[in-house]
Amino acid sequence: MITFRPLTDNDAGLLLIWMSSPHVEPFWSEDGSTPEDEVEQALDLIWSDEGAPYIIELNRRPIGYIQSYLCGADQPEGTQGIDLFIGDVSLTGEGLGSQILRQFGDDLLAKGATRLVIDPASSNDRAISAFRKAGFDIDETRDGITLMSRSPKLSA
């Protein structure tokens, strides 16, 4: 069973291990940031109104990280961004990424988000495939980033 537990300061060491991993770091670190910088940014979200950080658990075992955040004025009102990774490399390629993103996204939409966006590196084919399976569509690709979105399904 997949659950999302709020990130705490006690998770810093685990986050650093994951964010330093070869399957995470190339896609997570931005603009020359280090894994330490990224951990600090994640921990800063704990006390922020701008986002919400969580540890992803599978059967109560930590396996990854996910965060949501309010998007800026360049997106429609109510749009929330999502970032995630599976930190346990032995669980990559098992279909968990799409399952995690669908569940987390369903929760955000049920709580009132009007649109969800995610922006994987264009070179990260596995993530893009997982995100499409989770109901996200490709909006555009530019500057090495693929912008994807998901909106609530309207019923007739």
Side-chain angles (χ1 to χ4, degrees):
M1 171 156 97
I2 295 170
T3 55
F4 306 103
R5 167 178 69 71
L7 184 72
T8 70
D9 291 331
N10 293 334
D11 295 312
L14 182 59
L15 272 184
L16 182 57
I17 290 168
W18 287 341
M19 289 182 172
S20 301
S21 299
H23 73 287
V24 173
E25 185 177 4
F27 301 110
W28 196 266
S29 297
E30 297 178 359
D31 302 322
S33 66
T34 65
E36 291 83 0
D37 297 333
E38 297 297 330
V39 169
E40 186 174 325
Q41 287 180 17
L43 294 175
D44 285 347
L45 278 179
I46 294 171
W47 308 110
S48 170
D49 292 334
E50 296 177 16
Y54 298 92
I55 293 292
I56 304 163
E57 294 185 333
L58 178 63
N59 300 323
R60 302 176 119 187
R61 183 172 66 95
I63 64 162
Y65 174 76
I66 192 164
Q67 64 185 23
S68 64
Y69 53 91
L70 295 174
C71 291
D74 62 330
Q75 294 291 330
E77 186 175 337
T79 300
Q80 291 205 25
I82 302 172
D83 298 310
L84 81 146
F85 61 78
I86 295 174
D88 184 339
V89 70
S90 71
L91 296 174
T92 61
E94 301 292 321
L96 283 172
S98 56
Q99 185 180 348
I100 289 164
L101 185 56
R102 179 171 294 280
Q103 182 178 329
F104 192 77
D106 287 350
D107 290 346
L108 291 175
L109 292 169
K111 291 176 183 171
T114 59
R115 183 169 180 256
L116 305 175
V117 294
I118 195 162
D119 58 352
S122 299
S123 61
N124 194 345
D125 294 331
R126 290 173 77 172
I128 292 169
S129 176
F131 301 163
R132 292 183 86 171
K133 289 176 187 172
F136 283 72
D137 296 314
I138 295 174
D139 293 335
E140 68 177 294
T141 299
R142 68 169 181 242
D143 301 324
I145 298 294
T146 299
L147 182 63
M148 304 177 76
S149 66
R150 177 180 166 203
S151 297
K153 302 293 185 227
L154 300 176
S155 56

